[in-house]
Every structure is written in C-alpha cells, then in structure tokens.
Amino acid sequence: MNILITKNGPLQEFCASTFNAAILVGIAKGLIEIYAGNKTKFTVEIYESTLESTFTYFQKLLIVTSYEAHNGETLEVLKCRSDEFVEAFVKEYEKYHKYTLKNDSHAFENEYYYMMRDQINLLNNHLKELI
C-alpha cells in the first residue's frame, strides 16, 4: 500500500507499507528484543483478520501460539529451537527485502527499507555469534 499525496506541488510519498511487511517487521523486532534480553514474549497481530500470534521464548525454545482473538480459541502451536526458527525467518525476510527492491525502484528512498536491512543484519549477527 502506497499513499501518495500532491498538494500544490510535486507528488510525495506519505506512507509506504504492506501488511506482510508490518508482520515481518513486528516479528523481527520481537526476536531482536528477546536476544537483547528485554522480553521473553511478544504478540504480532495478523492484519485483515482477528488472528494474533504470540511468540514465547523459554529455555532456548520458541513457542508460537496462534489464536483467534475474537473468541480466544487456540488454533495452532509450534515449538522449535529458537535459533532454528530465527535462521529460517531471516532467510525468508532477506528474500522479501530483495523482492521489495526488485519491485520498487524507490525502495532506497523509504526509511522502512533500511529498518528491515538493519533488523536482518542484527539477527544474522546473533546467529553468527552462536557458531
């Protein structure tokens, strides 16, 4: 979604976002906060639905619980080693980041493009420390 405005002059970008990007940024932010020791749990809203996913870090495990916020029903639970999840997540996040640049010639002008790059680098650096 791009919101472009013109007001007495040239076309300006007011907001550039996609629901997918917002979800990825939210997951990356939560994982970075877990690695920094600031959190052990975070929730990401799945846009255009009433689903929410809660990520809980416990003893090197990441537990992902997806639930229907409307009625509180748990829909799915994933339990895996946190670093394996982060490695898979970063791989897909990098693909999305490259896809954004490929399909948006103005991506370099958007601060979110750089925020995503920085999140990917932070998560990759953490994974490298574990090797």
Side-chain angles (χ1 to χ4, degrees):
M1 169 176 67
N2 292 317
I3 299 172
L4 303 171
I5 56 171
T6 57
K7 184 174 182 181
N8 302 326
L11 184 67
Q12 295 180 4
E13 184 176 56
F14 174 71
C15 176
S17 178
T18 66
F19 293 130
N20 292 337
I23 293 167
L24 293 173
V25 166
I27 293 171
K29 179 182 177 206
L31 294 171
I32 290 166
E33 289 175 344
I34 284 174
Y35 284 135
N38 298 333
K39 286 188 176 181
T40 59
K41 184 177 184 177
F42 66 94
T43 299
V44 175
E45 180 181 342
I46 308 302
Y47 297 98
E48 292 192 353
S49 76
T50 57
L51 291 176
E52 294 180 355
S53 292
T54 299
F55 295 73
T56 306
Y57 177 76
F58 181 72
Q59 296 182 352
K60 297 188 180 185
L61 291 177
L62 192 65
I63 303 160
V64 183
T65 306
S66 295
Y67 60 95
E68 174 66 49
H70 178 69
N71 62 13
E73 179 183 356
T74 298
L75 300 174
E76 182 179 331
V77 175
L78 169 70
K79 186 185 286 188
C80 59
R81 290 185 48 83
S82 61
D83 295 328
E84 290 174 359
F85 179 90
V86 171
E87 185 177 357
F89 173 78
V90 168
K91 181 179 175 182
E92 295 306 314
Y93 199 16
E94 286 176 324
K95 285 181 187 178
Y96 182 85
H97 191 248
K98 289 176 185 175
Y99 174 84
T100 300
L101 181 60
K102 181 180 175 183
N103 290 291
D104 181 1
S105 61
H106 300 287
F108 286 121
E109 299 168 12
N110 190 316
E111 67 184 277
Y112 295 102
Y113 179 82
Y114 294 102
M115 181 178 60
M116 291 172 130
R117 181 204 61 196
D118 293 345
Q119 287 180 323
I120 290 167
N121 288 338
L122 282 168
L123 291 169
N124 268 327
N125 287 340
H126 175 74
L127 291 170
K128 288 177 186 175
E129 289 175 10
L130 298 173
I131 298 174

